[in-house]
Amino acid sequence: MTASGALLTVNDLKVHFNLKALPIRAVDGVSFDLARGETLGIVGESGCGKTTTGMSIVNLVQATGGDIIFDGVDLTALQSLPRSKQLELRRRIQVVFQDPYSSLNPRKTLTQTLDKPLQIHGFTAPERKDRIAYLLEKVGLSPRHADRYPHEFSGGQRQRIGIARALSVGPELIICDEAVSALDVSIQAQIINLLLDLQEEFNLSYLFISHDLAVVEHVADRIAVMYLGKIVEIATYQALFSDPKHPYTQALLSAIPVPDPRSRGSRIVLQGDVSSPLNAPSGCPFHTRCVRKSAVCQSVAPSLTAIAEGHSVSCHNL
Ligand SMILES: Nc1ncnc2c1ncn2[C@@H]1O[C@H](COP(=O)(O)OP(=O)(O)O)[C@@H](O)[C@H]1O
Ligand SMILES: [Mg+2]
């Protein structure tokens, strides 16, 4: 896939925060693209910068550097665009969060919750009424749920509401940030199936963020593995699972339970905790936990390098 054919191209994205004058490189040079109808999974341990990457795309955090090109428009300069153009771009990219409960107003019924974004985006009252009925059906909720409040729904139903709200204004890209992480495994499967059905029907692109590679396995066409603000490996789902190259990817994969544990080799237990971006190691950020490290890894940061078509890895010792 060429970058020019992509719906979204993220190029050398950096998001740095300051915590009491200490720099935090939450996202530190991330690049990827995403085609229409495609799902890119982003995985990695907590704190590696997945959410910050997603939130910078919807302008909820400001990028420090790099470009975020959505259908030809640089979203890092969104604020400088006319308001109508900003509104249109915001409509086209939506987010489904881990816990819709915290983003649902407890005093608003389901109908009121879904009505608001439609109002903002200029739907008339009759259009909104029809659209809400249509959305409920699309996400597997019943019309009798329309006047219920968030606390009256189960976790899985609340996630369906979160999806209906994202879907309501007709987006092209949905960022699913740990969208199924809080749910039981059986409910996870239902929500994932719903997301896959909606993707097919509406040709949606997903950025599917999860700390859990086992979840991403079921949805992603390609997967980017992040470690301390950087992508350390990116490949198609098939290549990543059958031929993982980075020692960190190999460790994540080995931790996924499989029916026959022998079929995936023995579990690699990573030593030490994920370092914090507050005191990121010099050289390769992973070298403090790496079984394969050599002298160069402590001083020189490897760059993400293509080893095959569509498969890039950042490691000195492949
Ligand atoms: N607003 C913020 N101010 C300071 N540090 C932040 C802020 N948001 C995130 N961080 C830090 O950036 C790093 C990446 O966070 P995040 O993107 O939430 O990771 P993930 O989603 O992969 O768990 C973490 O170290 C986190 O503490
Ligand atoms: Mg997160």
Side-chain angles (χ1 to χ4, degrees):
M1 186 188 55
T2 60
S4 57
L7 176 64
L8 175 72
T9 301
V10 171
N11 184 34
D12 200 23
L13 176 67
K14 295 190 170 113
V15 184
H16 298 172
F17 299 110
N18 280 307
L19 190 71
K20 296 181 182 157
L22 292 168
I24 300 181
R25 297 169 183 271
V27 178
D28 203 22
V30 160
S31 303
F32 60 82
D33 50 28
L34 180 65
R36 281 188 194 274
E38 187 187 34
T39 299
L40 177 70
I42 299 186
V43 298
E45 285 159 296
S46 175
C48 70
K50 304 180 298 295
T51 293
T52 306
T53 300
M55 292 309 102
S56 62
I57 293 167
V58 286
N59 240 259
L60 289 176
V61 301
Q62 180 65 44
T64 312
D67 316 304
I68 303 169
I69 311 292
F70 178 79
D71 199 15
V73 181
D74 186 356
L75 296 179
T76 61
L78 189 71
Q79 257 102 26
S80 64
L81 297 172
R83 263 196 59 78
S84 60
K85 185 72 183 167
Q86 286 187 35
L87 195 65
E88 182 214 316
L89 287 161
R90 288 187 196 283
R91 179 187 68 71
R92 296 170 69 191
I93 309 175
Q94 295 292 314
V95 186
V96 176
F97 297 97
Q98 171 168 5
D99 179 13
Y101 204 35
S102 61
S103 61
L104 295 174
N105 185 333
R107 279 184 282 277
K108 282 194 173 162
T109 65
L110 172 51
T111 298
Q112 289 166 337
T113 294
L114 294 179
D115 202 53
K116 188 77 182 172
L118 294 172
Q119 262 185 48
I120 292 171
H121 289 279
F123 288 75
T124 64
E127 282 168 351
R128 299 202 299 271
K129 187 163 177 288
D130 287 353
R131 180 102 185 132
I132 290 169
Y134 169 83
L135 286 165
L136 292 184
E137 196 240 302
K138 279 288 156 211
V139 302
L141 291 166
S142 145
R144 64 193 160 78
H145 291 135
D147 297 319
R148 292 193 189 164
Y149 292 88
H151 74 269
E152 297 178 82
F153 292 98
S154 68
Q157 286 174 325
R158 282 201 289 268
Q159 203 51 286
R160 289 176 193 272
I161 298 172
I163 293 168
R165 185 173 52 180
L167 198 65
S168 64
V169 292
E172 289 149 63
L173 166 62
I174 299 184
I175 298 171
C176 300
D177 189 354
E178 306 280 5
V180 301
S181 300
L183 304 173
D184 292 342
V185 172
S186 62
I187 310 291
Q188 268 188 358
Q190 292 173 14
I191 298 297
I192 286 173
N193 286 335
L194 172 64
L195 287 169
L196 292 173
D197 289 347
L198 294 171
Q199 176 168 47
E200 190 170 310
E201 181 166 357
F202 299 108
N203 196 28
L204 297 168
S205 302
Y206 289 145
L207 204 58
F208 197 93
I209 295 171
S210 177
H211 68 280
D212 187 353
L213 189 52
V215 167
V216 174
E217 179 179 5
H218 299 294
V219 289
D221 300 303
R222 287 185 302 133
I223 298 175
V225 178
M226 281 186 75
Y227 191 83
L228 278 184
K230 293 183 175 13
I231 292 178
V232 296
E233 183 161 9
I234 184 165
T236 61
Y237 143 79
Q238 292 89 342
L240 197 95
F241 273 79
S242 64
D243 193 19
K245 295 292 189 197
H246 196 284
Y248 183 58
T249 312
Q250 291 170 350
L252 290 182
L253 265 173
S254 78
I256 297 179
V258 286
D260 175 6
R262 284 164 304 181
S263 66
R264 210 175 251 166
S266 55
R267 176 160 183 182
I268 305 165
V269 179
L270 285 174
Q271 302 298 316
D273 289 332
V274 61
S275 308
S276 152
L278 258 179
N279 52 10
S282 60
C284 173
F286 187 61
H287 84 259
T288 52
R289 301 168 83 191
C290 185
V291 289
R292 218 190 278 162
K293 67 169 174 279
S294 57
V296 65
C297 308
Q298 293 174 37
S299 52
V300 181
S303 53
L304 197 61
T305 307
I307 55 152
E309 174 78 32
H311 191 165
S312 297
V313 190
S314 167
C315 179
H316 291 301
N317 300 312
L318 288 175

